Amino acid sequence: MAGVSVDEAMRRAVELAARGLGTTSPNPVVGCVLLDADGQIVGEGFHVYAGGPHAEIVALAQAGERARGGTAVVTLEPCDHTGRTGPCSTALVQAGVARVVIAVPDPNPVAAGGAATLRAAGVQVDIGVGTSEAEAGNVAWLTSMRRGWPYVIWKYAATLDGRSAAADGTSMWITSEAARMDVHALRGTVDAVIVGVGTVLADDPRLTARNLRDGSLAIRQPLRVVVDSAGRTPAGARVRDGASRTWVATAAEVGAGPDGRVDLPALLAALHGRGVRAVLLEGGPRLAGAFLAAGLVDKIVGYVAPGLLGAGPTALVDAGVTTIAEAIDCEFVDVTQIGPDLRITALPQKREG
């Protein structure tokens, strides 16, 4: 039987890694495929949850003695430190693996160094196979670790003419149930959900993640963050209901920007310090505008309903754009129909200078 190529094994490792999205933070998602000396798959694994066995350890356990003389194909450089688990680099050496193929070097200085340890033990190490695919699957964690603040996804819902509510302020429900359940799935992949105090006062949202099957609360809930410069969040607000952790971030605690409001870069740095690697920015239009104006949004996910209002609040205001030449250019990366609505995914393009 013909063996599996390293490229094929890496594609499989990337698929495996994706199964850990939403459960591994503050650790990365990682997938590993072990090939024996004949190129046959003898072990597979992915990192399931923080504190649990890493992908390499799961794959090695499956392979047993068949790993000796084989090749480990892994989406991220094996860790080289002892935390809640031992170093994967040492485990690979002890298992007798002859070659390790790595998609992406580990940017975390605490865990990096696995490639050097493997080479010092006589293991052949190749880095750079399937890099773009592995980077895309782990983009939030990698981005967060490289720059020191979380990956920010701005999510909004609007009508076809860009309205987030009607002229009388009503907004339930602009999009379909299918789109709303898709948002719950999106919440399940991030560590925190951010809204402004205006959204809390106007809509009193819970900001929880729910199971797609029965609507019950998901086991893992994101941190709920209310950007509240003056501490106006009511004691009885539903974000304080105990269904998940909540942080009301005030200017007095986080620090204030020149406008006297919560300093957004300082807020993101503080969230990173709390282990948050990906956040979902949900409301409202003024807070979203402030994030965009500051260049802090990494991805946009918009749910567009096939309806027209002609008046009412828009999904975005005050994004620092006063003329067409200052427009924030975006690249569309996906358009998918969710029920009757469209989910549009775009990446803001970073401005030069």
Side-chain angles (χ1 to χ4, degrees), residues 147-150 152 254-258 261-273 290-291 294-296:
R147 72 186 182 193
W149 71 84
V152 178
V254 177
R261 300 175 182 270
V262 169
D263 183 271
L264 298 181
L267 172 71
L268 292 178
L271 285 169
H272 188 269
F291 268 84
L296 298 173

Side-chain angles (χ1 to χ4, degrees), residues 285-306:
R286 194 171 301 279
L287 182 63
F291 268 84
L292 283 161
L296 298 173
V297 173
D298 297 294
K299 184 164 75 172
I300 300 168
V301 179
Y303 294 86
V304 181

Side-chain angles (χ1 to χ4, degrees), residues 141-223:
W141 186 86
L142 289 168
T143 301
S144 178
M145 293 307 301
R146 286 168 178 163
R147 72 186 182 193
W149 71 84
Y151 188 82
V152 178
I153 305 167
W154 172 44
K155 165 261 165 186
Y156 71 92
T159 57
L160 197 57
D161 57 342
R163 304 291 175 174
S164 61
D168 65 356
T170 56
S171 60
M172 297 175 65
W173 295 99
I174 281 181
T175 54
S176 65
E177 182 179 3
R180 297 195 300 274
M181 292 309 294
D182 197 68
V183 172
H184 282 290
L186 182 59
R187 285 179 184 170
T189 68
V190 301
D191 306 313
V193 176
I194 300 178
V195 298
V197 66
T199 296
V200 172
L201 295 174
D203 300 333
D204 196 21
R206 293 190 70 195
L207 303 178
T208 51
R210 297 187 173 274
N211 290 314
L212 302 186
R213 289 173 295 180
D214 58 11
S216 63
L217 287 175
I219 294 175
R220 182 181 181 273
Q221 292 292 327
L223 171 70

Side-chain angles (χ1 to χ4, degrees), residues 36-330:
D36 65 13
D38 297 321
Q40 302 296 320
I41 295 178
V42 293
E44 293 185 339
F46 67 97
H47 187 39
V48 179
Y49 61 93
H54 291 188
E56 299 93 324
I57 304 305
V58 176
L60 286 170
Q62 281 188 13
E65 281 300 312
R66 294 175 295 175
R68 191 165 298 279
T71 297
V73 180
V74 62
T75 58
L76 185 69
E77 180 183 3
C79 67
D80 198 47
H81 81 300
T82 299
R84 285 182 282 187
T85 61
C88 292
S89 55
T90 301
L92 290 164
V93 171
Q94 292 175 344
V97 171
R99 181 188 181 196
V100 176
V101 178
I102 300 167
V104 182
D106 194 332
N108 183 359
V110 174
T117 295
L118 290 164
R119 287 186 175 122
V123 177
Q124 178 184 341
V125 177
D126 300 303
I127 300 177
V129 175
T131 300
S132 59
E133 294 85 353
E135 288 256 1
N138 209 12
V139 63
W141 186 86
L142 289 168
T143 301
S144 178
M145 293 307 301
R146 286 168 178 163
R147 72 186 182 193
W149 71 84
Y151 188 82
V152 178
I153 305 167
W154 172 44
K155 165 261 165 186
Y156 71 92
T159 57
L160 197 57
D161 57 342
R163 304 291 175 174
S164 61
D168 65 356
T170 56
S171 60
M172 297 175 65
W173 295 99
I174 281 181
T175 54
S176 65
E177 182 179 3
R180 297 195 300 274
M181 292 309 294
D182 197 68
V183 172
H184 282 290
L186 182 59
R187 285 179 184 170
T189 68
V190 301
D191 306 313
V193 176
I194 300 178
V195 298
V197 66
T199 296
V200 172
L201 295 174
D203 300 333
D204 196 21
R206 293 190 70 195
L207 303 178
T208 51
R210 297 187 173 274
N211 290 314
L212 302 186
R213 289 173 295 180
D214 58 11
S216 63
L217 287 175
I219 294 175
R220 182 181 181 273
Q221 292 292 327
L223 171 70
R224 299 177 291 189
V225 181
V226 181
V227 181
D228 184 358
S229 297
R232 296 186 292 144
T233 302
R238 293 203 295 175
V239 291
R240 298 185 186 268
D241 63 7
S244 179
R245 295 171 299 137
T246 299
W247 179 29
V248 177
T250 64
E253 180 181 4
V254 177
D259 59 359
R261 300 175 182 270
V262 169
D263 183 271
L264 298 181
L267 172 71
L268 292 178
L271 285 169
H272 188 269
R274 293 178 177 222
V276 171
R277 302 294 176 254
V279 303
L280 187 62
L281 174 63
E282 292 211 34
R286 194 171 301 279
L287 182 63
F291 268 84
L292 283 161
L296 298 173
V297 173
D298 297 294
K299 184 164 75 172
I300 300 168
V301 179
Y303 294 86
V304 181
L308 300 169
L309 288 174
T314 57
L316 179 67
V317 296
D318 297 339
V321 176
T322 57
T323 180
I324 193 67
E326 298 172 346
I328 301 171
D329 295 325
C330 299

